[in-house]
mmCIF file of all heavy atoms in Angstrom:
data_model
loop_
_atom_site.group_PDB
_atom_site.id
_atom_site.type_symbol
_atom_site.label_atom_id
_atom_site.label_comp_id
_atom_site.label_asym_id
_atom_site.label_seq_id
_atom_site.Cartn_x
_atom_site.Cartn_y
_atom_site.Cartn_z
ATOM 1 N N GLU A 1441 40.725 5.304 10.972
ATOM 2 C CA GLU A 1441 39.410 4.657 11.076
ATOM 3 C C GLU A 1441 39.262 3.598 9.991
ATOM 4 O O GLU A 1441 39.658 3.809 8.831
ATOM 5 C CB GLU A 1441 38.283 5.687 10.942
ATOM 6 C CG GLU A 1441 38.152 6.616 12.135
ATOM 7 C CD GLU A 1441 36.850 7.409 12.115
ATOM 8 O OE1 GLU A 1441 35.878 6.922 11.467
ATOM 9 O OE2 GLU A 1441 36.793 8.488 12.733
ATOM 10 N N GLU A 1442 38.658 2.476 10.347
ATOM 11 C CA GLU A 1442 38.485 1.384 9.396
ATOM 12 C C GLU A 1442 37.641 1.806 8.201
ATOM 13 O O GLU A 1442 37.856 1.351 7.076
ATOM 14 C CB GLU A 1442 37.842 0.185 10.093
ATOM 15 C CG GLU A 1442 38.718 -0.464 11.161
ATOM 16 C CD GLU A 1442 38.044 -1.661 11.801
ATOM 17 O OE1 GLU A 1442 36.929 -2.033 11.345
ATOM 18 O OE2 GLU A 1442 38.612 -2.233 12.746
ATOM 19 N N GLY A 1443 36.678 2.694 8.441
ATOM 20 C CA GLY A 1443 35.799 3.133 7.367
ATOM 21 C C GLY A 1443 36.474 4.007 6.330
ATOM 22 O O GLY A 1443 35.866 4.328 5.296
ATOM 23 N N SER A 1444 37.747 4.371 6.565
ATOM 24 C CA SER A 1444 38.456 5.217 5.597
ATOM 25 C C SER A 1444 38.681 4.499 4.266
ATOM 26 O O SER A 1444 38.992 5.166 3.262
ATOM 27 C CB SER A 1444 39.797 5.679 6.175
ATOM 28 O OG SER A 1444 40.654 4.566 6.416
ATOM 29 N N ILE A 1445 38.490 3.185 4.247
ATOM 30 C CA ILE A 1445 38.623 2.459 2.974
ATOM 31 C C ILE A 1445 37.538 2.885 1.983
ATOM 32 O O ILE A 1445 37.657 2.629 0.780
ATOM 33 C CB ILE A 1445 38.573 0.928 3.194
ATOM 34 C CG1 ILE A 1445 37.222 0.519 3.798
ATOM 35 C CG2 ILE A 1445 39.733 0.465 4.065
ATOM 36 C CD1 ILE A 1445 37.033 -0.983 3.909
ATOM 37 N N TYR A 1446 36.494 3.560 2.490
ATOM 38 C CA TYR A 1446 35.404 4.018 1.617
ATOM 39 C C TYR A 1446 35.578 5.483 1.212
ATOM 40 O O TYR A 1446 34.701 6.035 0.541
ATOM 41 C CB TYR A 1446 34.059 3.837 2.314
ATOM 42 C CG TYR A 1446 33.764 2.405 2.727
ATOM 43 C CD1 TYR A 1446 33.729 2.047 4.079
ATOM 44 C CD2 TYR A 1446 33.537 1.426 1.774
ATOM 45 C CE1 TYR A 1446 33.455 0.755 4.461
ATOM 46 C CE2 TYR A 1446 33.271 0.114 2.158
ATOM 47 C CZ TYR A 1446 33.241 -0.216 3.507
ATOM 48 O OH TYR A 1446 32.990 -1.514 3.876
ATOM 49 N N ASN A 1447 36.666 6.121 1.614
ATOM 50 C CA ASN A 1447 36.859 7.543 1.314
ATOM 51 C C ASN A 1447 36.810 7.804 -0.187
ATOM 52 O O ASN A 1447 37.541 7.170 -0.966
ATOM 53 C CB ASN A 1447 38.209 8.022 1.861
ATOM 54 C CG ASN A 1447 38.194 8.220 3.368
ATOM 55 O OD1 ASN A 1447 37.158 8.069 4.009
ATOM 56 N ND2 ASN A 1447 39.344 8.557 3.936
ATOM 57 N N GLN A 1448 35.948 8.736 -0.580
ATOM 58 C CA GLN A 1448 35.844 9.117 -1.989
ATOM 59 C C GLN A 1448 34.813 10.223 -2.147
ATOM 60 O O GLN A 1448 34.049 10.532 -1.230
ATOM 61 C CB GLN A 1448 35.435 7.919 -2.847
ATOM 62 C CG GLN A 1448 34.082 7.324 -2.474
ATOM 63 C CD GLN A 1448 33.755 6.101 -3.303
ATOM 64 O OE1 GLN A 1448 33.528 6.199 -4.500
ATOM 65 N NE2 GLN A 1448 33.770 4.940 -2.654
ATOM 66 N N GLU A 1449 34.791 10.784 -3.322
ATOM 67 C CA GLU A 1449 33.746 11.721 -3.718
ATOM 68 C C GLU A 1449 32.711 10.959 -4.546
ATOM 69 O O GLU A 1449 33.059 10.219 -5.465
ATOM 70 C CB GLU A 1449 34.331 12.858 -4.563
ATOM 71 C CG GLU A 1449 35.239 13.800 -3.796
ATOM 72 C CD GLU A 1449 34.465 14.838 -3.013
ATOM 73 O OE1 GLU A 1449 33.256 15.021 -3.291
ATOM 74 O OE2 GLU A 1449 35.063 15.459 -2.112
ATOM 75 N N PHE A 1450 31.432 11.127 -4.212
ATOM 76 C CA PHE A 1450 30.348 10.500 -4.967
ATOM 77 C C PHE A 1450 29.724 11.548 -5.883
ATOM 78 O O PHE A 1450 29.361 12.644 -5.427
ATOM 79 C CB PHE A 1450 29.287 9.937 -4.034
ATOM 80 C CG PHE A 1450 29.776 8.842 -3.123
ATOM 81 C CD1 PHE A 1450 30.024 9.109 -1.782
ATOM 82 C CD2 PHE A 1450 29.982 7.566 -3.613
ATOM 83 C CE1 PHE A 1450 30.463 8.109 -0.931
ATOM 84 C CE2 PHE A 1450 30.426 6.552 -2.768
ATOM 85 C CZ PHE A 1450 30.677 6.824 -1.430
ATOM 86 N N THR A 1451 29.584 11.216 -7.127
ATOM 87 C CA THR A 1451 29.077 12.191 -8.112
ATOM 88 C C THR A 1451 27.652 11.903 -8.558
ATOM 89 O O THR A 1451 27.167 12.503 -9.520
ATOM 90 C CB THR A 1451 29.999 12.200 -9.335
ATOM 91 O OG1 THR A 1451 30.020 10.886 -9.921
ATOM 92 C CG2 THR A 1451 31.414 12.613 -8.953
ATOM 93 N N GLY A 1452 26.994 10.990 -7.882
ATOM 94 C CA GLY A 1452 25.630 10.650 -8.265
ATOM 95 C C GLY A 1452 25.535 9.418 -9.134
ATOM 96 O O GLY A 1452 24.437 9.000 -9.516
ATOM 97 N N ASP A 1453 26.709 8.837 -9.463
ATOM 98 C CA ASP A 1453 26.718 7.618 -10.267
ATOM 99 C C ASP A 1453 26.388 6.409 -9.404
ATOM 100 O O ASP A 1453 26.313 6.493 -8.175
ATOM 101 C CB ASP A 1453 28.090 7.438 -10.928
ATOM 102 C CG ASP A 1453 28.390 8.539 -11.928
ATOM 103 O OD1 ASP A 1453 27.417 9.059 -12.519
ATOM 104 O OD2 ASP A 1453 29.573 8.880 -12.090
ATOM 105 N N GLU A 1454 26.230 5.261 -10.042
ATOM 106 C CA GLU A 1454 25.913 4.038 -9.319
ATOM 107 C C GLU A 1454 27.089 3.590 -8.453
ATOM 108 O O GLU A 1454 28.254 3.681 -8.854
ATOM 109 C CB GLU A 1454 25.526 2.922 -10.289
ATOM 110 C CG GLU A 1454 24.128 3.075 -10.873
ATOM 111 C CD GLU A 1454 23.681 1.816 -11.595
ATOM 112 O OE1 GLU A 1454 24.557 1.004 -11.962
ATOM 113 O OE2 GLU A 1454 22.472 1.645 -11.773
ATOM 114 N N TYR A 1455 26.741 3.109 -7.256
ATOM 115 C CA TYR A 1455 27.736 2.598 -6.315
ATOM 116 C C TYR A 1455 27.136 1.367 -5.652
ATOM 117 O O TYR A 1455 25.949 1.344 -5.322
ATOM 118 C CB TYR A 1455 28.080 3.668 -5.270
ATOM 119 C CG TYR A 1455 29.082 3.223 -4.227
ATOM 120 C CD1 TYR A 1455 30.442 3.197 -4.515
ATOM 121 C CD2 TYR A 1455 28.657 2.827 -2.962
ATOM 122 C CE1 TYR A 1455 31.370 2.787 -3.556
ATOM 123 C CE2 TYR A 1455 29.567 2.427 -1.996
ATOM 124 C CZ TYR A 1455 30.924 2.408 -2.301
ATOM 125 O OH TYR A 1455 31.827 2.004 -1.350
ATOM 126 N N PHE A 1456 27.969 0.350 -5.430
ATOM 127 C CA PHE A 1456 27.477 -0.886 -4.838
ATOM 128 C C PHE A 1456 27.368 -0.715 -3.322
ATOM 129 O O PHE A 1456 28.382 -0.634 -2.614
ATOM 130 C CB PHE A 1456 28.403 -2.057 -5.176
ATOM 131 C CG PHE A 1456 27.871 -3.395 -4.725
ATOM 132 C CD1 PHE A 1456 26.736 -3.940 -5.315
ATOM 133 C CD2 PHE A 1456 28.494 -4.108 -3.715
ATOM 134 C CE1 PHE A 1456 26.244 -5.169 -4.915
ATOM 135 C CE2 PHE A 1456 28.011 -5.337 -3.301
ATOM 136 C CZ PHE A 1456 26.879 -5.875 -3.904
ATOM 137 N N VAL A 1457 26.152 -0.636 -2.824
ATOM 138 C CA VAL A 1457 25.897 -0.470 -1.392
ATOM 139 C C VAL A 1457 25.900 -1.857 -0.758
ATOM 140 O O VAL A 1457 24.878 -2.557 -0.736
ATOM 141 C CB VAL A 1457 24.572 0.264 -1.137
ATOM 142 C CG1 VAL A 1457 24.347 0.448 0.365
ATOM 143 C CG2 VAL A 1457 24.565 1.618 -1.841
ATOM 144 N N SER A 1458 27.040 -2.260 -0.241
ATOM 145 C CA SER A 1458 27.208 -3.609 0.308
ATOM 146 C C SER A 1458 26.765 -3.657 1.765
ATOM 147 O O SER A 1458 26.595 -2.621 2.426
ATOM 148 C CB SER A 1458 28.667 -4.043 0.202
ATOM 149 O OG SER A 1458 29.465 -3.258 1.076
ATOM 150 N N LYS A 1459 26.620 -4.855 2.280
ATOM 151 C CA LYS A 1459 26.233 -5.018 3.682
ATOM 152 C C LYS A 1459 27.359 -4.587 4.611
ATOM 153 O O LYS A 1459 27.116 -4.239 5.774
ATOM 154 C CB LYS A 1459 25.832 -6.463 3.950
ATOM 155 C CG LYS A 1459 26.943 -7.477 3.745
ATOM 156 C CD LYS A 1459 26.438 -8.884 4.017
ATOM 157 C CE LYS A 1459 27.565 -9.904 3.837
ATOM 158 N NZ LYS A 1459 27.079 -11.290 4.091
ATOM 159 N N ASP A 1460 28.608 -4.592 4.134
ATOM 160 C CA ASP A 1460 29.723 -4.115 4.956
ATOM 161 C C ASP A 1460 29.764 -2.585 4.991
ATOM 162 O O ASP A 1460 30.174 -1.992 5.986
ATOM 163 C CB ASP A 1460 31.053 -4.646 4.406
ATOM 164 C CG ASP A 1460 31.143 -6.158 4.490
ATOM 165 O OD1 ASP A 1460 30.646 -6.710 5.481
ATOM 166 O OD2 ASP A 1460 31.687 -6.778 3.555
ATOM 167 N N PHE A 1461 29.312 -1.952 3.901
ATOM 168 C CA PHE A 1461 29.292 -0.498 3.824
ATOM 169 C C PHE A 1461 28.201 0.086 4.717
ATOM 170 O O PHE A 1461 28.419 1.090 5.407
ATOM 171 C CB PHE A 1461 29.067 -0.091 2.368
ATOM 172 C CG PHE A 1461 28.934 1.376 2.134
ATOM 173 C CD1 PHE A 1461 30.049 2.206 2.178
ATOM 174 C CD2 PHE A 1461 27.699 1.953 1.862
ATOM 175 C CE1 PHE A 1461 29.943 3.570 1.957
ATOM 176 C CE2 PHE A 1461 27.584 3.315 1.637
ATOM 177 C CZ PHE A 1461 28.708 4.125 1.692
ATOM 178 N N LEU A 1462 27.017 -0.566 4.729
ATOM 179 C CA LEU A 1462 25.895 0.007 5.464
ATOM 180 C C LEU A 1462 24.848 -1.047 5.799
ATOM 181 O O LEU A 1462 24.479 -1.863 4.958
ATOM 182 C CB LEU A 1462 25.233 1.116 4.629
ATOM 183 C CG LEU A 1462 23.937 1.720 5.167
ATOM 184 C CD1 LEU A 1462 24.194 2.480 6.455
ATOM 185 C CD2 LEU A 1462 23.290 2.629 4.131
ATOM 186 N N LYS A 1463 24.384 -0.993 7.040
ATOM 187 C CA LYS A 1463 23.178 -1.707 7.467
ATOM 188 C C LYS A 1463 22.260 -0.662 8.080
ATOM 189 O O LYS A 1463 22.658 0.071 9.000
ATOM 190 C CB LYS A 1463 23.504 -2.792 8.494
ATOM 191 C CG LYS A 1463 22.281 -3.522 9.024
ATOM 192 C CD LYS A 1463 22.678 -4.567 10.060
ATOM 193 C CE LYS A 1463 21.460 -5.323 10.579
ATOM 194 N NZ LYS A 1463 21.838 -6.347 11.586
ATOM 195 N N PHE A 1464 21.025 -0.587 7.581
ATOM 196 C CA PHE A 1464 20.114 0.468 8.025
ATOM 197 C C PHE A 1464 18.720 -0.115 8.140
ATOM 198 O O PHE A 1464 18.067 -0.408 7.142
ATOM 199 C CB PHE A 1464 20.151 1.630 7.024
ATOM 200 C CG PHE A 1464 19.334 2.824 7.431
ATOM 201 C CD1 PHE A 1464 19.744 3.661 8.457
ATOM 202 C CD2 PHE A 1464 18.158 3.130 6.755
ATOM 203 C CE1 PHE A 1464 18.995 4.780 8.812
ATOM 204 C CE2 PHE A 1464 17.405 4.236 7.099
ATOM 205 C CZ PHE A 1464 17.828 5.063 8.130
ATOM 206 N N GLU A 1465 18.255 -0.300 9.392
ATOM 207 C CA GLU A 1465 16.963 -0.941 9.633
ATOM 208 C C GLU A 1465 16.245 -0.272 10.806
ATOM 209 O O GLU A 1465 16.851 -0.054 11.856
ATOM 210 C CB GLU A 1465 17.139 -2.426 9.974
ATOM 211 C CG GLU A 1465 17.873 -3.248 8.942
ATOM 212 C CD GLU A 1465 18.056 -4.690 9.382
ATOM 213 O OE1 GLU A 1465 17.731 -4.998 10.562
ATOM 214 O OE2 GLU A 1465 18.517 -5.504 8.566
ATOM 215 N N HIS A 1466 14.958 0.035 10.623
ATOM 216 C CA HIS A 1466 14.095 0.392 11.757
ATOM 217 C C HIS A 1466 13.314 -0.883 12.097
ATOM 218 O O HIS A 1466 12.173 -1.064 11.683
ATOM 219 C CB HIS A 1466 13.121 1.510 11.381
ATOM 220 C CG HIS A 1466 13.758 2.689 10.710
ATOM 221 N ND1 HIS A 1466 14.698 3.485 11.330
ATOM 222 C CD2 HIS A 1466 13.578 3.208 9.464
ATOM 223 C CE1 HIS A 1466 15.065 4.453 10.500
ATOM 224 N NE2 HIS A 1466 14.407 4.299 9.365
ATOM 225 N N THR A 1467 13.945 -1.765 12.836
ATOM 226 C CA THR A 1467 13.336 -3.087 13.030
ATOM 227 C C THR A 1467 12.859 -3.344 14.454
ATOM 228 O O THR A 1467 12.340 -4.419 14.743
ATOM 229 C CB THR A 1467 14.319 -4.199 12.610
ATOM 230 O OG1 THR A 1467 15.625 -3.912 13.113
ATOM 231 C CG2 THR A 1467 14.384 -4.300 11.104
ATOM 232 N N ASN A 1468 13.017 -2.350 15.312
ATOM 233 C CA ASN A 1468 12.431 -2.576 16.651
ATOM 234 C C ASN A 1468 11.837 -1.285 17.231
ATOM 235 O O ASN A 1468 11.973 -1.010 18.427
ATOM 236 C CB ASN A 1468 13.464 -3.140 17.623
ATOM 237 C CG ASN A 1468 12.793 -3.800 18.825
ATOM 238 O OD1 ASN A 1468 11.640 -4.209 18.770
ATOM 239 N ND2 ASN A 1468 13.508 -3.867 19.929
ATOM 240 N N GLY A 1469 11.109 -0.573 16.482
ATOM 241 C CA GLY A 1469 10.833 -0.783 15.067
ATOM 242 C C GLY A 1469 10.638 0.602 14.487
ATOM 243 O O GLY A 1469 11.082 1.600 15.026
ATOM 244 N N LEU A 1470 9.860 0.667 13.413
ATOM 245 C CA LEU A 1470 9.413 1.950 12.873
ATOM 246 C C LEU A 1470 8.117 2.281 13.618
ATOM 247 O O LEU A 1470 7.015 1.993 13.162
ATOM 248 C CB LEU A 1470 9.182 1.827 11.373
ATOM 249 C CG LEU A 1470 8.774 3.109 10.649
ATOM 250 C CD1 LEU A 1470 9.880 4.147 10.727
ATOM 251 C CD2 LEU A 1470 8.408 2.817 9.209
ATOM 252 N N ASN A 1471 8.253 2.891 14.783
ATOM 253 C CA ASN A 1471 7.129 3.058 15.716
ATOM 254 C C ASN A 1471 6.415 4.386 15.481
ATOM 255 O O ASN A 1471 6.960 5.453 15.749
ATOM 256 C CB ASN A 1471 7.632 2.981 17.158
ATOM 257 C CG ASN A 1471 8.320 1.669 17.454
ATOM 258 O OD1 ASN A 1471 7.765 0.604 17.195
ATOM 259 N ND2 ASN A 1471 9.537 1.743 17.982
ATOM 260 N N TYR A 1472 5.185 4.275 14.993
ATOM 261 C CA TYR A 1472 4.340 5.440 14.721
ATOM 262 C C TYR A 1472 3.355 5.569 15.878
ATOM 263 O O TYR A 1472 2.468 4.728 16.065
ATOM 264 C CB TYR A 1472 3.627 5.232 13.386
ATOM 265 C CG TYR A 1472 2.629 6.305 12.993
ATOM 266 C CD1 TYR A 1472 2.883 7.653 13.192
ATOM 267 C CD2 TYR A 1472 1.429 5.943 12.370
ATOM 268 C CE1 TYR A 1472 1.966 8.621 12.794
ATOM 269 C CE2 TYR A 1472 0.516 6.903 11.967
ATOM 270 C CZ TYR A 1472 0.788 8.240 12.187
ATOM 271 O OH TYR A 1472 -0.123 9.194 11.800
ATOM 272 N N VAL A 1473 3.509 6.621 16.673
ATOM 273 C CA VAL A 1473 2.675 6.865 17.857
ATOM 274 C C VAL A 1473 1.756 8.033 17.516
ATOM 275 O O VAL A 1473 2.226 9.155 17.294
ATOM 276 C CB VAL A 1473 3.544 7.190 19.082
ATOM 277 C CG1 VAL A 1473 2.669 7.361 20.324
ATOM 278 C CG2 VAL A 1473 4.605 6.115 19.298
ATOM 279 N N TYR A 1474 0.441 7.805 17.486
ATOM 280 C CA TYR A 1474 -0.446 8.794 16.879
ATOM 281 C C TYR A 1474 -1.765 8.956 17.624
ATOM 282 O O TYR A 1474 -2.180 8.100 18.418
ATOM 283 C CB TYR A 1474 -0.752 8.390 15.430
ATOM 284 C CG TYR A 1474 -1.459 7.050 15.319
ATOM 285 C CD1 TYR A 1474 -2.854 6.976 15.302
ATOM 286 C CD2 TYR A 1474 -0.752 5.859 15.238
ATOM 287 C CE1 TYR A 1474 -3.506 5.763 15.217
ATOM 288 C CE2 TYR A 1474 -1.390 4.641 15.147
ATOM 289 C CZ TYR A 1474 -2.764 4.599 15.139
ATOM 290 O OH TYR A 1474 -3.404 3.378 15.072
ATOM 291 N N LEU A 1475 -2.429 10.075 17.329
ATOM 292 C CA LEU A 1475 -3.821 10.314 17.705
ATOM 293 C C LEU A 1475 -4.649 10.310 16.429
ATOM 294 O O LEU A 1475 -4.188 10.760 15.372
ATOM 295 C CB LEU A 1475 -3.976 11.640 18.426
ATOM 296 C CG LEU A 1475 -3.381 11.726 19.832
ATOM 297 C CD1 LEU A 1475 -3.469 13.157 20.359
ATOM 298 C CD2 LEU A 1475 -4.086 10.769 20.786
ATOM 299 N N GLU A 1476 -5.881 9.812 16.527
ATOM 300 C CA GLU A 1476 -6.690 9.614 15.328
ATOM 301 C C GLU A 1476 -8.142 10.013 15.601
ATOM 302 O O GLU A 1476 -8.680 9.763 16.682
ATOM 303 C CB GLU A 1476 -6.614 8.143 14.916
ATOM 304 C CG GLU A 1476 -7.104 7.819 13.529
ATOM 305 C CD GLU A 1476 -6.790 6.369 13.170
ATOM 306 O OE1 GLU A 1476 -7.276 5.467 13.877
ATOM 307 O OE2 GLU A 1476 -6.065 6.146 12.191
ATOM 308 N N LEU A 1477 -8.782 10.630 14.608
ATOM 309 C CA LEU A 1477 -10.220 10.905 14.641
ATOM 310 C C LEU A 1477 -10.872 10.026 13.588
ATOM 311 O O LEU A 1477 -10.486 10.048 12.414
ATOM 312 C CB LEU A 1477 -10.496 12.375 14.350
ATOM 313 C CG LEU A 1477 -11.976 12.771 14.238
ATOM 314 C CD1 LEU A 1477 -12.682 12.596 15.579
ATOM 315 C CD2 LEU A 1477 -12.125 14.207 13.740
ATOM 316 N N ASN A 1478 -11.876 9.235 13.993
ATOM 317 C CA ASN A 1478 -12.511 8.272 13.098
ATOM 318 C C ASN A 1478 -14.018 8.463 13.019
ATOM 319 O O ASN A 1478 -14.658 8.847 14.005
ATOM 320 C CB ASN A 1478 -12.239 6.832 13.591
ATOM 321 C CG ASN A 1478 -10.771 6.501 13.628
ATOM 322 O OD1 ASN A 1478 -10.143 6.328 12.596
ATOM 323 N ND2 ASN A 1478 -10.222 6.419 14.824
ATOM 324 N N ARG A 1479 -14.570 8.157 11.862
ATOM 325 C CA ARG A 1479 -16.015 8.067 11.692
ATOM 326 C C ARG A 1479 -16.385 6.588 11.625
ATOM 327 O O ARG A 1479 -15.645 5.769 11.063
ATOM 328 C CB ARG A 1479 -16.465 8.784 10.418
ATOM 329 C CG ARG A 1479 -17.983 8.729 10.211
ATOM 330 C CD ARG A 1479 -18.423 9.465 8.949
ATOM 331 N NE ARG A 1479 -19.809 9.197 8.656
ATOM 332 C CZ ARG A 1479 -20.833 9.936 9.070
ATOM 333 N NH1 ARG A 1479 -20.596 11.004 9.810
ATOM 334 N NH2 ARG A 1479 -22.079 9.621 8.758
ATOM 335 N N PHE A 1480 -17.563 6.239 12.179
ATOM 336 C CA PHE A 1480 -17.970 4.845 12.333
ATOM 337 C C PHE A 1480 -19.420 4.724 11.883
ATOM 338 O O PHE A 1480 -20.298 5.391 12.428
ATOM 339 C CB PHE A 1480 -17.826 4.465 13.813
ATOM 340 C CG PHE A 1480 -17.749 3.003 14.100
ATOM 341 C CD1 PHE A 1480 -16.569 2.303 13.926
ATOM 342 C CD2 PHE A 1480 -18.864 2.322 14.587
ATOM 343 C CE1 PHE A 1480 -16.488 0.965 14.229
ATOM 344 C CE2 PHE A 1480 -18.804 0.985 14.886
ATOM 345 C CZ PHE A 1480 -17.600 0.293 14.708
ATOM 346 N N ASP A 1481 -19.689 3.898 10.868
ATOM 347 C CA ASP A 1481 -21.045 3.780 10.324
ATOM 348 C C ASP A 1481 -21.488 2.328 10.249
ATOM 349 O O ASP A 1481 -20.776 1.469 9.699
ATOM 350 C CB ASP A 1481 -21.096 4.386 8.916
ATOM 351 C CG ASP A 1481 -20.960 5.901 8.930
ATOM 352 O OD1 ASP A 1481 -21.926 6.570 9.304
ATOM 353 O OD2 ASP A 1481 -19.869 6.394 8.588
ATOM 354 N N ASP A 1482 -22.694 2.068 10.770
ATOM 355 C CA ASP A 1482 -23.305 0.742 10.708
ATOM 356 C C ASP A 1482 -23.969 0.558 9.338
ATOM 357 O O ASP A 1482 -24.863 1.315 8.965
ATOM 358 C CB ASP A 1482 -24.342 0.619 11.829
ATOM 359 C CG ASP A 1482 -25.023 -0.743 11.851
ATOM 360 O OD1 ASP A 1482 -24.662 -1.615 11.044
ATOM 361 O OD2 ASP A 1482 -25.932 -0.919 12.699
ATOM 362 N N ILE A 1483 -23.530 -0.450 8.583
ATOM 363 C CA ILE A 1483 -24.120 -0.724 7.264
ATOM 364 C C ILE A 1483 -24.850 -2.063 7.253
ATOM 365 O O ILE A 1483 -25.124 -2.621 6.194
ATOM 366 C CB ILE A 1483 -23.047 -0.697 6.152
ATOM 367 C CG1 ILE A 1483 -21.967 -1.766 6.405
ATOM 368 C CG2 ILE A 1483 -22.426 0.686 6.040
ATOM 369 C CD1 ILE A 1483 -21.025 -1.953 5.226
ATOM 370 N N SER A 1484 -25.199 -2.562 8.441
ATOM 371 C CA SER A 1484 -25.837 -3.875 8.541
ATOM 372 C C SER A 1484 -27.155 -3.941 7.777
ATOM 373 O O SER A 1484 -27.476 -4.947 7.140
ATOM 374 C CB SER A 1484 -26.080 -4.227 10.013
ATOM 375 O OG SER A 1484 -24.880 -4.186 10.746
ATOM 376 N N SER A 1485 -27.949 -2.861 7.839
ATOM 377 C CA SER A 1485 -29.259 -2.874 7.190
ATOM 378 C C SER A 1485 -29.141 -3.028 5.677
ATOM 379 O O SER A 1485 -30.042 -3.585 5.035
ATOM 380 C CB SER A 1485 -30.024 -1.590 7.529
ATOM 381 O OG SER A 1485 -29.319 -0.445 7.065
ATOM 382 N N LEU A 1486 -28.053 -2.546 5.114
ATOM 383 C CA LEU A 1486 -27.860 -2.682 3.670
ATOM 384 C C LEU A 1486 -27.691 -4.141 3.263
ATOM 385 O O LEU A 1486 -27.947 -4.513 2.115
ATOM 386 C CB LEU A 1486 -26.633 -1.881 3.218
ATOM 387 C CG LEU A 1486 -26.678 -0.371 3.468
ATOM 388 C CD1 LEU A 1486 -25.378 0.273 3.017
ATOM 389 C CD2 LEU A 1486 -27.870 0.258 2.752
ATOM 390 N N LEU A 1487 -27.268 -4.959 4.227
ATOM 391 C CA LEU A 1487 -27.037 -6.381 3.966
ATOM 392 C C LEU A 1487 -28.120 -7.248 4.600
ATOM 393 O O LEU A 1487 -27.921 -8.448 4.788
ATOM 394 C CB LEU A 1487 -25.657 -6.779 4.479
ATOM 395 C CG LEU A 1487 -24.491 -5.996 3.853
ATOM 396 C CD1 LEU A 1487 -23.184 -6.344 4.538
ATOM 397 C CD2 LEU A 1487 -24.397 -6.281 2.360
ATOM 398 N N LYS A 1488 -29.266 -6.626 4.955
ATOM 399 C CA LYS A 1488 -30.426 -7.336 5.503
ATOM 400 C C LYS A 1488 -30.127 -8.019 6.833
ATOM 401 O O LYS A 1488 -30.671 -9.083 7.140
ATOM 402 C CB LYS A 1488 -30.940 -8.384 4.502
ATOM 403 C CG LYS A 1488 -31.167 -7.864 3.079
ATOM 404 C CD LYS A 1488 -32.207 -6.774 3.012
ATOM 405 C CE LYS A 1488 -32.485 -6.349 1.566
ATOM 406 N NZ LYS A 1488 -33.450 -5.234 1.478
#
């Protein structure tokens, strides 16, 4: 496998995370699908 060039043990030290080593994106996308309960208050009178 081509990725075997990265074979090693990582001990928690700094390592250069290059664009060839990893690309990681939630770009289409990070989709949060939710239900929500909201309160709604008219504050118009406070502003005349």
Side-chain angles (χ1 to χ4, degrees):
E1441 289 193 24
E1442 294 181 5
S1444 63
I1445 62 174
Y1446 302 111
N1447 284 356
Q1448 61 183 292
E1449 291 279 344
F1450 297 104
T1451 60
D1453 295 330
E1454 285 192 340
Y1455 179 79
F1456 187 67
V1457 181
S1458 68
K1459 63 181 181 180
D1460 296 323
F1461 176 75
L1462 173 66
K1463 177 181 181 180
F1464 185 73
E1465 303 178 352
H1466 311 297
T1467 44
N1468 199 23
L1470 183 64
N1471 301 308
Y1472 176 41
V1473 183
Y1474 61 92
L1475 290 173
E1476 194 172 60
L1477 175 65
N1478 299 288
R1479 181 179 170 92
F1480 200 80
D1481 290 286
D1482 181 3
I1483 60 170
S1484 304
S1485 61
L1486 299 178
L1487 301 173
K1488 310 298 184 183

